Structure formats: C-alpha cells, structure tokens
Amino acid sequence: MNGTHPAAQPHGGGKAPGSAPSQTLTLAAMMFAVAMTFIDQTIVSIAAPDITRELGLSSSGMQWVVNAYLLALAAFFALGGRLADLWGPRKVVVAGTVVFVVSSVLCGCVPAGDVAQPWLIVFRAAQGFGAALLFPAALAVVVAVFPVERRGRALALFFGLSGALTAVGPLLGGWLTASWTWRAVFWVNVPVAVVALVLTALAHVPDRRRTGTLDVRGAVLIALGMGASVLGFQQAWSWGWGSAWTWLCIAGGLAILGVFVRYEWGTRHPLVDLRVFGDRAFAVDLAVLFFAMLAFVPLFFFASVYAQVSLSASPNQAALFLLYFFAGFAIASQWGGRILDKRGARPALKLGTVVGAVGFALWAGEMTDLSMHDQWPYAALAGAGIGFLLAPASTDAVNRAIGASYGEVTGVTQTVRNYAASVGLAVFGTVLTHVMNDNVADTLRSRGLPPGTAHDVARRISESVTGHGDSRPPTGNDTAAQATRDAMDAIRMDFAQANQWVFYGMAIALGIAFLCALGHPGGRAPAGESEGPARTEAPTGGG
C-alpha cells in the first residue's frame, strides 16, 4: 500500500506470473492451502461434545478451545499481510501452512489429564496464528499472479470453493468423529497441507518482496487491541453484557486500536498504511464487507443450531441444510466475479446486498413453518446475495490500494471480516438468548409454573441449546421437569421464533451494506493502481 517502497531485486528464475499453467496450479495450490483454515472454523464445534467427554473439559474450557483459534486469527491477520510483503507471499504461505499443520497434529495428540485443556487452547491459538499468516499471503499470491482483467473470476472461484468448505466442516467433523475418532478432525489437515505444498512447488509461485522494516510496535498494538475487543465480544454470552469484564475488554481493546491508529500515522514504515482509507472505493468496500460479514460467518452457528433444535435434525443433516445456502453462494460468486471484471464492483455490491437482504428476510419468515424442505429456496437466495458481493468487494479493495501492497491490504480486509464476524456472533447471540428466554418463560408460565421457576428453567434451556454456560439438561422439581417435557414442541417453536429475530437482523445488516454500496464511485480500478506490483517489483524465484 505504500507506493514509495522500491522494487526488490530478482533472486532467480521461475515462471512468469502471467503464464497459464502457473496460474492454474497457483490457484489450486492456494485454494488447498486456505481450505484448512476454512474447514477449521467449523469442524471442531461438531466434535466438541466428544472432546469434552473424553478429556473431561469444562464447558467454558471447551469454549476457549473454539475461541482461541478465532482470537488468534483476528489478532494476527494484519501482521500476516505485512510479513507477506516483506518476506514474499510464497515463503509466508509455506511457513503458515507448516505452522498450521504441525499445530493441527499436536491438537490431535493432546494427552488426557490436567494438561489437556491448556494444551488444546495453546495449539488451537497456534493454528489461528498459522492461518493468519497463510490466508492473506495466499490471497496476495492469487491477486499478483492473475492480471486485473481476469482477477475477478479467479478470486470468485477462490472465495466460492474455499468458502463452501466452511459448510463441509460440520459434515466432515461429524463423519470423522462417528466413524473414527474426534482427533481426526485435526489430523485431516495433514493430507490437505501436503497437497498444498506440493502444488506450490510445482507451480513455481513467484515471490515479490518489498523493502522496509517490520513495525513491531504496531504489530503488538493491533494484536492486543483486536484480541482484547474480540475477546469481549466472544465472552459477552458467558460473562453477560452487564459484566465489567466484558466492557473492559471491548472498551480497552478499542482504546488500544485508537492508539495504534495514532501511532501508525507517525511511523515511517507502518504495519498498515492508513492513507489507503482515503480512497472512497476502498472505504466503501470495507464497509460492505463489515456489514455482510455480520451475517455470513454467524450464519453457520445459528442455522446449524436452529436445524438441530427446531427441525430435530442430526448434526449431519444440519450440515446438509447449510449446503442449500452454499449452493446459492457458489453459483452467484462466479457471476459476481464476471460482473466485477466487466463493469466494476459497484453493480455486484448493489445486487448482492439487495439479494442477500431479501433472502435473509424471506428465510426468517419461513422459520416457524419448521420445514427444511420449504426453506431451501430462501437459504439459497441468501447465499447468492453473499456470493455476489464477497469476491468483488475483497478484490476491488485490493485493486484500489495505494501502490497495491497486496499482502498488507488483504491483511486489512481479512481483519475487518473477522472482527465483524465476532461482533455478529456476540450481538445476534445476545438477541437469540434474550428472545429465547422470554419465549420459553412465557410458555412454561402458561403451563402453570411459577414465574421464578419458569425463568430459571428457560435460562437453562437457552444455555443448553446455544452451547454457552452450563450445558447440562435443565433440572428442577418434578412439576417443572414434567412441564418442560410436555412443552418441548412449543419450546422448539419458541427457538424458531427467536431465530427469526436473528435472521431479520442479518437482513437489516445487508440492507445497511446496500446503503454503503450506494456510495461506491463505480468503475473499475485504474490499471496503474491495480497492477502496481507487476510494474514496480520483480519476482524473487520460483517454487
């Protein structure tokens, strides 16, 4: 992003980044590499009950195992993007892949006993660090290899197929856990990593380095700021929005991020060149991504739990339910890439946000029918909306960057996406829990339970179905237990109604994204900006 960086000197041969074989193999290599990071966002949640039971983890400890990965992702994405610029994206992809797969193996080898919980948390965080190195570097490789006129379609394929693997996570995790062992949900990354490394070597992926120094102080500030604020959002369900710890983490993290912004303006080699935010198109792209990601990533959790609770689906059936969404996503992502290549990002952003808002709203309206079959068109429509906008917004943001420092910019865009996902999970989770508590308490009171008992049982049911707090089944006196059993059909409807509020909220988020998209200046990024690396930097060698 910093256009004053001089070009790096070449250090060897390698195929030209524009050759067709190199492009095909490079895209395949990067997709295999990032596949691990997408799958691991969801695969562990399905195996959580077996992990908790075998290792004797507490419910809060298991939540930390899941959250540690996402926390590390949020904290280190910007650092990963900057290292891709300084060291070369190919080297960082290889390093990130190795860190990720070694951490995965160690997660699967966790010993039983008191060491199990800290062991898993540490190596899940190491997985997140490896993913934070890997993803922005892989995206930077794809952007650098494909010329601007073909970049939209290439990244549409990259995001479409790689993103669809997030839905495969629960299905694969359920199958591996049932047919073999929960440890396999970590070990499955080994063959994927081997294929990624082999393809990277065969593709002779070019490396482009930029001169400069690593802004260590900035890296520490953004890691602390992102980590603390994301932690506050993640723990809001467990600690409660009234907890001082929740607000200390959120406010403290945001304050540290404010210090980071002020520091970056004054340093010679910043971790993030903040001048890029002066480009209106770039700022709009990030705003659209932020509001879209409020819905996209949290959808996996809420739709999966809704299917299992309200539709009485098995974990595998819940994973198949998500495939309706990704069918629309995968198809529309290709159209979105073509629109970007031919007409620029603005039409794709407007179309995607409108389709997404309508899809989520219609989907919400059908949730109380409790029919998986009747919901698939609306799930596919919601997925199509996200598919239309995701790759165009991400690609256009990179193309508009000052000096086109691709690793740095992809680090910024992915940081925004992960931060939005954490906010969405916290906010929508609070809405779900609050409405669910009120609905279930009303149902139980209507069946004769005292208000205090009804509220306590409702809270326990909410914690049980959302996986937060004490995960044991609701207990109480014989009257309360019998009333709860008798009311289970009504409680499933209560949960469906609570999820309606969540999905209407997702539709509103896409509506706000549409308003942001209207501010996009339109047109394609000027060639001089979008092709900066090809103009100013030389490859430093092949695979």
Side-chain angles (χ1 to χ4, degrees):
M1 284 184 300
N2 193 342
T4 61
H5 293 312
Q9 294 301 314
H11 287 261
K15 292 183 181 181
S19 63
S22 175
Q23 288 178 351
T24 302
L25 284 177
T26 297
L27 183 60
M30 296 305 102
M31 288 172 61
F32 268 96
V34 302
M36 301 182 296
T37 71
F38 279 98
I39 291 174
D40 264 61
Q41 290 184 30
T42 53
I43 193 172
V44 176
S45 297
I46 292 294
D50 291 78
I51 297 173
T52 301
R53 183 170 54 253
E54 182 174 325
L55 299 180
L57 305 184
S58 65
S59 58
S60 61
M62 190 62 228
Q63 186 180 349
W64 274 103
V65 170
V66 174
N67 286 350
Y69 179 81
L70 300 176
L71 269 174
L73 268 179
F76 295 111
F77 249 123
L79 175 63
R82 182 60 175 155
L83 289 177
D85 285 336
L86 296 179
W87 296 353
R90 176 175 56 82
K91 292 184 179 66
V92 175
V93 165
V94 171
T97 301
V98 171
V99 170
F100 190 93
V101 73
V102 170
S103 302
S104 298
V105 171
L106 291 172
C107 282
C109 294
V110 55
D114 293 339
V115 74
Q117 186 165 303
W119 178 293
L120 270 180
I121 292 172
V122 167
F123 288 111
R124 279 290 283 169
Q127 273 190 307
F129 176 71
L133 294 179
L134 168 60
F135 191 89
L139 189 55
V141 166
V142 176
V143 169
V145 165
F146 282 85
V148 66
E149 64 272 9
R150 296 188 58 207
R151 192 174 297 155
R153 277 169 287 181
L155 286 182
L157 186 62
F158 180 87
F159 283 114
L161 294 185
S162 301
L165 292 172
T166 313
V168 174
L171 190 62
L172 181 61
W175 180 76
L176 288 172
T177 302
S179 61
W180 189 14
T181 169
W182 60 263
R183 297 176 186 270
V185 304
F186 298 108
W187 295 336
V188 73
N189 291 320
V190 174
V192 180
V194 170
V195 172
L197 292 173
V198 170
L199 289 178
T200 300
L202 292 176
H204 299 283
V205 175
D207 241 353
R208 293 181 169 87
R209 296 198 304 260
R210 300 173 75 91
T211 60
T213 58
L214 179 62
D215 177 14
V216 176
R217 188 173 300 178
V220 171
L221 285 173
I222 195 170
L224 289 176
M226 292 296 300
S229 55
V230 168
L231 174 63
F233 284 121
Q234 284 182 343
Q235 294 296 109
W237 276 3
S238 299
W239 295 341
W241 285 100
S243 168
W245 283 109
T246 298
W247 290 107
L248 180 63
C249 287
I250 293 174
L254 292 176
I256 294 173
L257 290 175
V259 173
F260 166 78
V261 170
R262 184 170 182 177
Y263 172 77
E264 292 296 281
W265 279 114
T267 190
R268 183 177 180 184
H269 295 290
L271 185 72
V272 177
D273 188 345
L274 298 176
R275 292 178 301 163
V276 71
F277 288 93
D279 185 290
R280 181 178 166 188
F282 181 85
V284 169
D285 290 331
L286 287 195
V288 170
L289 282 173
F290 179 86
F291 287 105
M293 292 306 105
L294 287 177
F296 181 50
V297 176
L299 167 82
F300 306 132
F301 172 78
F302 293 108
S304 176
V305 175
Y306 162 78
Q308 293 179 65
V309 175
S310 292
L311 305 182
S312 301
S314 68
N316 283 346
Q317 289 172 327
L320 290 172
F321 181 54
L322 290 175
L323 291 182
Y324 292 136
F325 177 90
F326 273 103
F329 175 88
I331 295 171
S333 65
Q334 295 303 301
W335 290 346
R338 291 188 179 95
I339 293 172
L340 173 67
D341 288 339
K342 294 179 179 179
R343 301 176 56 195
R346 191 171 189 262
L349 300 189
K350 290 170 62 180
L351 178 62
T353 51
V354 169
V355 171
V358 171
F360 277 107
L362 293 175
W363 194 358
E366 287 292 321
M367 285 190 154
T368 53
D369 288 347
L370 302 186
S371 169
M372 187 181 296
H373 175 74
D374 291 342
Q375 294 181 37
W376 76 262
Y378 309 113
L381 191 63
I386 300 294
F388 276 124
L389 68 87
L390 182 58
S394 301
T395 307
D396 190 61
V398 173
N399 288 345
R400 302 276 181 169
I402 299 172
S405 176
Y406 294 151
E408 196 175 342
V409 179
T410 52
V412 173
T413 58
Q414 298 308 309
T415 297
V416 169
R417 289 177 57 179
N418 278 269
Y419 194 76
S422 298
V423 174
L425 280 167
V427 173
F428 292 137
T430 300
V431 171
L432 178 71
T433 302
H434 179 74
V435 178
M436 176 71 171
N437 283 346
D438 289 347
N439 289 354
V440 174
D442 289 343
T443 294
L444 295 177
R445 282 197 299 269
S446 72
R447 294 172 183 263
L449 288 188
T453 303
H455 178 77
D456 181 62
V457 174
R459 179 182 57 82
R460 295 291 299 278
I461 291 174
S462 296
E463 290 174 348
S464 177
V465 299
T466 59
H468 291 77
D470 189 348
S471 59
R472 294 172 299 170
T475 59
N477 57 42
D478 291 340
T479 302
Q482 184 61 46
T484 302
R485 286 193 293 269
D486 293 342
M488 284 312 298
D489 286 341
I491 288 172
R492 281 193 285 270
M493 179 61 73
D494 290 335
F495 190 68
Q497 292 172 344
N499 270 278
Q500 278 188 312
W501 285 75
V502 171
F503 278 67
Y504 280 129
M506 293 176 176
I508 291 172
L510 268 296
I512 297 173
F514 170 75
L515 297 178
C516 295
L518 294 178
H520 196 285
R524 291 173 51 181
E529 293 179 13
S530 62
E531 297 174 357
R535 190 179 64 254
T536 61
E537 300 174 7
T540 61

